[in-house]
Amino acid sequence: MKVKIITDSTADLSPELIKQYDISVVPLYVVMGDRISKDGVEATPEDIYAYVDATAKLPKTSAPNLNDFLSAFENWRSQGYDVVHFNISSDFSSSHATARMAAKEVGGVEVVDTRNLSTGSGLVVLHACEMARKGAGAKEIARECRALTDRVEASFVVDSIDYLRMGGRCSSVAALGANLLKLKPCIEVTDGKMKSGKKYRGSIDKVILAYVTERLKNRDDIDLHRIFITHTRCTEEIVQKVRQKITELQPGFEEILETTAGCTITSHCGPYTLGVLFIRSK
């Protein structure tokens, strides 16, 4: 039986990776005032920035509806595929619950809660694609990938907490203090939820390199198959410095992949956010 790998749009995989691994994507929705757009299809991060600049408000995101998932699953099932679908953490969105409802109705569909977001989810999706290419079945892929989610290490360092403030994730007083002190928080994903980690101080370029160093230096528990550099509006110069720092600290990586974060991370964290995301070996 052929296996089709599907993910939602929050996995932040580049068009090149989606094409290379033949991944199908079910988009979430982005709500900006009266405009409702499909994430990554009709709405981009640049639309988010423009909306925030014009309104001083954050857009909202909403999960795909039941018909969206039914349509996607039925399409591939009708072509003779078993399906494995991957969702953003169920703690962030109702996407997973709705996908499970659709899977139960269609049959032949495994739904995996990645317990992550952005390329934290993307890492699990690519692992599934590699398993499918080697001939693994849908149930085996789903089982192994559910276990894999515990070893994904996902975090981002944020330049300004203004977007976090607008989203109600920190108070105005805390935001004012952080901005005055030039604090740059690290946002970590742990057990499917976002939490605030270390707070760095200084210019974002210096902070990013310090963050990458702390994430990777003297680590012997990293799966060196691949690592993502995922960011919002960061310059090519700083991305290249991050790439060089990764190679310096962990020269064994087979792949260092760069992606631009989509609408979900953008609306949470704002511009000049960068993360290095990888899988632990243990």
Side-chain angles (χ1 to χ4, degrees):
M1 177 64 74
K2 301 179 291 184
V3 177
K4 186 66 181 181
I5 304 301
I6 305 179
T7 184
D8 66 34
S9 58
T10 64
D12 288 348
L13 296 172
S14 66
E16 293 78 14
L17 287 170
I18 290 168
K19 181 179 180 180
Q20 177 182 345
Y21 288 95
D22 193 25
I23 301 164
S24 182
V25 179
V26 179
L28 273 72
Y29 292 94
V30 181
V31 182
M32 293 177 280
D34 295 331
R35 175 186 168 191
I36 302 176
S37 307
K38 291 183 177 180
D39 178 18
V41 179
E42 302 161 336
T44 68
E46 291 302 317
D47 295 318
I48 303 289
Y49 301 133
Y51 180 78
V52 172
D53 289 344
T55 67
K57 297 179 181 178
L58 285 182
K60 297 179 180 179
T61 57
S62 67
N65 58 48
L66 183 62
N67 285 335
D68 291 331
F69 285 120
L70 288 172
S71 177
F73 297 165
E74 289 170 348
N75 172 55
W76 293 108
R77 290 292 290 148
S78 70
Q79 297 180 55
Y81 286 86
D82 280 346
V83 172
V84 188
H85 175 70
F86 294 83
N87 281 116
I88 186 174
S89 172
S90 56
D91 284 290
F92 297 143
S93 171
S94 62
S95 181
H96 178 68
T98 307
R100 288 187 63 186
M101 291 173 58
K104 184 176 181 180
E105 184 169 334
V106 173
V109 180
E110 295 286 336
V111 179
V112 177
D113 180 352
T114 68
R115 308 301 295 150
N116 225 294
L117 49 68
S118 189
T119 46
S121 299
L123 286 161
V124 182
V125 173
L126 294 189
H127 182 79
C129 291
E130 290 170 338
M131 290 186 68
R133 286 184 172 182
K134 293 176 181 177
K139 290 187 181 298
E140 180 186 356
I141 292 170
R143 182 170 58 250
E144 184 167 316
C145 286
R146 289 186 184 110
L148 183 65
T149 61
D150 288 337
R151 294 194 280 117
V152 175
E153 190 161 315
S155 60
F156 296 86
V157 68
V158 178
D159 180 36
S160 168
I161 61 175
D162 289 342
Y163 275 55
L164 294 170
R165 175 187 56 78
M166 284 187 283
R169 296 176 183 89
C170 73
S171 70
S172 296
V173 173
L176 176 61
N179 287 336
L180 287 173
L181 294 172
K182 297 185 178 180
L183 296 180
K184 318 293 184 187
C186 177
I187 306 298
E188 301 173 346
V189 181
T190 304
D191 191 27
K193 303 176 180 65
M194 284 197 303
K195 68 173 187 178
S196 179
K198 179 174 178 176
K199 294 177 177 63
Y200 296 85
R201 188 173 182 178
S203 69
I204 188 60
D205 286 9
K206 290 181 180 179
V207 163
I208 284 173
L209 294 178
Y211 151 79
V212 173
T213 299
E214 291 193 9
R215 287 284 152 180
L216 299 178
K217 188 175 181 180
N218 297 327
R219 295 279 296 269
D220 62 359
D221 63 340
I222 296 175
D223 181 337
L224 297 176
H225 184 36
R226 67 168 53 93
I227 185 171
F228 274 102
I229 305 169
T230 300
H231 64 91
T232 63
R233 263 192 179 177
C234 289
T235 65
E236 181 57 36
E237 180 183 5
I238 189 60
V239 172
Q240 187 57 34
K241 287 181 179 179
V242 169
R243 186 181 293 272
Q244 291 170 354
K245 182 62 70 174
I246 291 171
T247 302
E248 170 192 326
L249 297 169
Q250 294 288 343
F253 271 112
E254 298 169 28
E255 284 189 320
I256 302 175
L257 300 175
E258 177 194 350
T259 64
T260 300
C263 292
T264 299
I265 286 294
T266 298
S267 62
H268 277 81
C269 300
Y272 315 116
T273 293
L274 184 142
V276 287
L277 303 93
F278 51 88
I279 296 173
R280 294 187 298 274
S281 58
K282 54 187 177 181

